[in-house]
Amino acid sequence: MFSRRLNRCLILFANKIEFYNPGHLPEDITINDLLSGDYKSNPRNKLIADVCKDMHLIEKYGSGIGRIRRYFKEEGLPDPDFRNISNGFQVTVFDEAINKVNDVVENLTSEKSKEKSKEKILREINLNPNISTNELAEKTGLSVSGIEKNIKELKQKGLIRRIGSPKGG
């Protein structure tokens, strides 16, 4: 099975991601307590926890597992698997969540790529207002149809407009 260790606390597999944190849960908190929300959090290092809370890096002590589960439920994903193992605590996220994350990343990347294409086109038009579609395609690396599609969207957004004839405008 394919796996890639990104660091000592994160391993990517083809069908899951494992997050590992050295150190077990406190003795008075079980996995069932975590899942039910029936526990009182007591940070191990209160000074670090207070600094993180003051910097708004955490909302409140002990709220992370509940938020993770809520986010997964809102997305229609199965709960991650939480367990004490060896000398630490492990959270495993399975296929469906990985696919969802990949889809979100792919969509964001695609949107950024589209915006960069439009920026390239606008830059070239600013440099040469009389530039042709073929020249834009050559300079940006996009196809002629890609240029035409982007120009249509830029016109609809009111960012560019054609002035003059179809040949020389």
Side-chain angles (χ1 to χ4, degrees), residues 16-29:
K16 65 183 177 180
I17 302 173
E18 291 180 351
F19 301 90
Y20 175 80
N21 188 43
H24 281 201
L25 291 172
E27 288 181 21
D28 60 335
I29 299 176

Side-chain angles (χ1 to χ4, degrees), residues 23-37:
H24 281 201
L25 291 172
E27 288 181 21
D28 60 335
I29 299 176
T30 67
I31 299 291
N32 286 336
D33 294 335
L34 277 182
L35 298 178
S36 69

Side-chain angles (χ1 to χ4, degrees), residues 87-100:
N87 294 316
F89 183 72
Q90 180 176 294
V91 178
T92 304
V93 177
F94 298 97
D95 276 344
E96 297 89 348
I98 295 169
N99 292 336
K100 185 81 167 183

Side-chain angles (χ1 to χ4, degrees), residues 43-122:
R44 289 188 179 142
N45 190 323
K46 184 117 169 70
L47 181 62
I48 291 174
D50 286 342
V51 168
C52 289
K53 189 167 191 232
D54 290 344
M55 293 176 65
H56 305 286
L57 298 173
I58 59 174
E59 289 179 12
K60 63 181 187 175
Y61 308 130
S63 66
I65 299 292
R67 272 183 292 138
I68 290 168
R69 294 183 70 220
R70 186 178 75 243
Y71 295 150
F72 273 65
K73 184 176 182 177
E74 287 171 3
E75 293 298 323
L77 300 170
D79 259 353
D81 179 54
F82 302 96
R83 62 180 63 196
N84 275 317
I85 63 162
S86 301
N87 294 316
F89 183 72
Q90 180 176 294
V91 178
T92 304
V93 177
F94 298 97
D95 276 344
E96 297 89 348
I98 295 169
N99 292 336
K100 185 81 167 183
V101 168
N102 285 340
D103 289 347
V104 168
V105 169
E106 191 174 301
N107 287 340
L108 289 173
T109 305
S110 174
E111 287 303 314
K112 284 183 182 180
S113 177
K114 287 177 186 176
E115 291 307 311
K116 285 185 181 187
S117 296
K118 286 178 180 57
E119 289 172 17
K120 288 179 187 177
I121 292 168
L122 288 172

